[in-house]
Structures are given as structure tokens and as C-alpha cells.
Amino acid sequence: MIKLTKPRTSRSLALTIAKIAQNKLATDILILDLRKIESAPADFFVICSTNNPIQAKAVFEEIYHQTKKFQSMPPRYEGLESMEWIVIDYFDVVVNIMSENARNYYKLEKLWSDAKFLTLNEEAKAIDYDKENLKNLFLAPMV
């Protein structure tokens, strides 16, 4: 179990959410720092994959309930009907919990490839992510 403290910045909120997802065994967790991209809809995206709808729901519920302790306003969310792609919007941080198929199809990382990429190591510490590894993340060619 990870010890969470109240995030003071959008970056620390994104890292906290990534740690919660990692703790729930979400895979391929990436944090995209979009702050230097003029047209970006948020400061950060957190993107993770899940193996099935049950895991997607568990990751969503854990993120929602853990962050509820820190946030004065509850986040908006979409996607609980299908569990293929759940979006949680904290305004400055947008969380994308995706099935492997949805993630492979939409390829958000390629769409926002100008962002700085971070991930978490085994100790839940933020580290830079080498974008060359994206080739291994996607199976199908980009359409």
C-alpha cells in the first residue's frame, strides 16, 4: 500500500494518480506532461491499460475514492458503461484508463508525442520515459 499525501501541483496530482493505478496493477502507465503544448486540453494526461472491465472499474474506483480526499470538487468522468475507455477529468489532469484494444486503436501517445513522457519505476518514483519504447507498446500500425 502506498502512502498518499495531498498533491500541491498538477504534476504531483498526476504522479499520485499514476501511483494509485500502479498499485491496482494497471499496466503501461505513462504520464504526459503537456504544459509546453499550446493547444493541450490539460497540463497532464495519465494513461494506463487494464486487462478487463473488472480491473478497469477497480482502477477507476480506487483513483476516484483516493483523490476524493484531496479534491474539493469531484472530477467529471465518462466511460463506465463500456469500461473500454474511462476518462476522469480533474481539469489540469486527465486520466485515461483504457483497455489494451482501445489504447492500441486510439494511440493517444502518438497524438500527443510532443509531450514530455514520464513513467513510474518499481518503487513508484517518476522517471523519464524513452519514446522509442512506444514502438513496443503498440501492436497494430497507425491508421
Side-chain angles (χ1 to χ4, degrees):
M1 187 59 123
I2 57 173
K3 183 177 179 349
L4 301 176
T5 57
K6 182 176 180 173
R8 297 177 188 232
T9 65
S10 56
R11 183 181 194 277
S12 62
L13 177 60
L15 292 173
T16 297
I17 289 168
K19 290 174 187 178
I20 295 168
Q22 184 181 49
N23 197 45
K24 279 299 191 181
L25 306 179
T27 58
D28 299 320
I29 300 167
L30 290 178
I31 302 117
L32 280 60
D33 183 344
L34 305 167
R35 291 177 293 182
K36 293 186 178 178
I37 300 175
E38 191 174 317
S39 62
D43 289 347
F44 290 89
F45 276 180
V46 177
I47 306 171
C48 64
S49 298
T50 56
N51 295 322
N52 57 59
I54 294 169
Q55 184 187 22
K57 184 176 182 188
V59 171
F60 164 79
E61 288 177 347
E62 189 69 12
I63 291 169
Y64 186 86
H65 293 298
Q66 290 290 336
T67 58
K68 195 175 177 182
K69 301 171 189 174
F70 310 135
Q71 302 297 114
S72 57
M73 295 288 295
R76 300 186 80 130
Y77 56 87
E78 289 287 330
L80 293 179
E81 305 80 30
S82 70
M83 299 290 181
E84 282 292 308
W85 183 0
I86 302 170
V87 176
I88 313 171
D89 185 355
Y90 292 92
F91 189 73
D92 290 333
V93 177
V94 175
V95 182
N96 299 274
I97 304 166
M98 305 176 84
S99 71
E100 291 177 7
N101 287 338
R103 190 162 181 187
N104 193 43
Y105 181 79
Y106 290 104
K107 296 178 175 72
L108 293 180
E109 298 87 345
K110 290 194 182 218
L111 180 66
W112 295 101
S113 62
D114 291 344
K116 178 180 179 185
F117 284 49
L118 302 168
T119 192
L120 300 176
N121 63 16
E122 294 80 27
E123 293 83 37
K125 302 286 184 202
I127 57 172
D128 287 339
Y129 183 83
D130 183 1
K131 292 179 188 177
E132 286 296 313
N133 293 330
L134 288 177
K135 294 177 200 168
N136 301 326
L137 190 59
F138 301 112
L139 303 174
M142 188 153 180
V143 179

